[in-house]
Amino acid sequence: MKTIIYILHVIFMSLLLSCGSKEAVKIEKGQKKEKTVVVKNKEKSTELIKEKIKEDNEPKIKVLEQMGEKPNWIDSKYSIEVENDNKLIFFVGYSEHVNKDIAKSSATLNSRQAAAIAIDIIVNKQVNTVWKSLGRGEDETKERVISGLVAVSARKLDFSQVKLVSSWYRRLKKPKMTGKKFLGYTEPIYEYYAKFSINYELYQKKRDEYLKNLINETKSSREKRIYKKLLTKLQKLD
């Protein structure tokens, strides 16, 4: 009996040692895996540091004069906002010149192109959104509507209604480069940004007029239905 108990005890201890050994191997493997991850992270960190050093060593623009903090609207091609119950389209004219007054007047002139770009983006976004809701795929009808709307809305926009909202400028020198070789800095120039607004209703009126003309002029009953649905949904989207 004692012999049997002794044999069972030996077997039991052997099993325990075997499990402990496997666990130890698992932990050891886990540690090695963690070390590998750490090494990878170190390599990644080293690359990031190198990139940062390279970036820091590259010649930067030299700002000589600046009109306060750089406003957020400078980097926006357009925005649609509601102010005092008026829905407005905002866009930004830009220019640069060695003379500040010339840079300012050129930014105002360039606002027309900025308005056209804003209208282009708005038309594409609105028509594409409504077109999907109609369950229609890409076709010539949609492209014809978009190109026509962009042309009419931008070309016939009443710029006497455009208002200057804000402006910002800075005087700076830019690095002159040939490939990666730094050749010094340019002469000081002014960067001038002018933010303008126009009432959204002016765009909406031109858009709706164009679609109503399409409805009246087209002879295809199928296209008439498409234009009518498009007009209705665009008006709801407003």
Side-chain angles (χ1 to χ4, degrees):
M1 183 69 179
K2 286 182 180 181
T3 304
I4 294 171
I5 292 171
Y6 176 77
I7 292 170
L8 290 172
H9 178 73
V10 171
I11 294 170
F12 179 73
M13 289 303 293
S14 299
L15 289 171
L16 281 176
L17 288 171
S18 175
C19 290
S21 176
K22 286 180 182 177
E23 187 64 24
V25 171
K26 286 180 182 178
I27 293 169
E28 188 180 346
K29 284 183 179 178
Q31 287 173 342
K32 286 182 180 179
K33 189 175 181 181
E34 286 176 6
K35 285 179 182 178
T36 305
V37 171
V38 171
V39 169
K40 284 183 179 178
N41 287 338
K42 281 183 179 178
E43 289 172 355
K44 189 175 181 181
S45 299
T46 303
E47 289 300 316
L48 289 172
I49 291 167
K50 285 180 181 178
E51 287 295 321
K52 179 65 177 164
I53 292 170
K54 182 182 176 183
E55 184 182 321
D56 291 341
N57 288 335
E58 288 177 356
K60 302 290 192 301
I61 62 170
K62 286 186 176 181
V63 178
L64 308 174
E65 179 187 350
Q66 185 166 297
M67 184 182 170
E69 292 295 320
K70 184 179 178 181
N72 294 329
W73 53 261
I74 280 176
D75 299 319
S76 176
K77 289 184 178 179
Y78 87 100
S79 64
I80 298 175
E81 301 171 28
V82 177
E83 289 188 358
N84 301 320
D85 296 328
N86 290 323
K87 195 172 185 179
L88 304 170
I89 299 173
F90 292 96
F91 48 93
V92 180
Y94 168 78
S95 184
E96 58 182 53
H97 199 273
V98 294
N99 183 283
K100 186 171 82 171
D101 291 332
I102 294 176
K104 179 180 178 180
S105 60
S106 296
T108 302
L109 289 173
N110 292 339
S111 66
R112 287 179 174 268
Q113 183 181 359
I117 291 170
I119 295 297
D120 189 312
I121 296 170
I122 292 167
V123 168
N124 272 276
K125 188 175 180 180
Q126 289 185 343
V127 173
N128 280 315
T129 299
V130 171
W131 209 258
K132 286 180 182 178
S133 71
L134 293 174
R136 303 191 60 82
E138 300 293 319
D139 59 30
E140 291 181 3
T141 304
K142 189 191 82 168
E143 296 306 319
R144 186 165 60 248
V145 169
I146 289 176
S147 61
L149 275 176
V150 170
V152 170
S153 301
R155 188 175 67 246
K156 294 186 177 181
L157 206 60
D158 186 0
F159 274 87
S160 65
Q161 301 296 318
V162 172
K163 295 179 180 179
L164 177 64
V165 177
S166 186
S167 60
W168 185 82
Y169 71 86
R170 64 180 178 177
R171 185 168 177 259
L172 53 85
K173 289 182 178 182
K174 294 182 178 181
K176 291 191 291 185
M177 306 289 292
T178 299
K180 294 182 179 180
K181 188 178 180 181
F182 174 61
L183 302 176
Y185 285 91
T186 62
E187 290 298 311
I189 61 166
Y190 284 91
E191 287 186 343
Y192 205 97
Y193 300 82
K195 182 181 181 182
F196 294 90
S197 72
I198 194 165
N199 201 303
Y200 181 86
E201 286 183 1
L202 294 173
Y203 154 72
Q204 184 183 18
K205 184 179 178 181
K206 296 295 180 186
R207 182 199 68 194
D208 292 359
E209 283 177 357
Y210 174 76
L211 287 172
K212 286 175 182 176
N213 287 335
L214 281 180
I215 293 167
N216 293 329
E217 292 171 5
T218 187
K219 295 179 180 179
S220 168
S221 56
R222 170 186 163 275
E223 288 190 353
K224 276 183 185 290
R225 288 195 300 272
I226 293 171
Y227 296 145
K228 284 180 181 179
K229 287 180 180 179
L230 184 62
L231 176 61
T232 301
K233 285 186 173 288
L234 283 171
Q235 288 173 337
K236 288 180 180 179
L237 196 65
D238 294 326

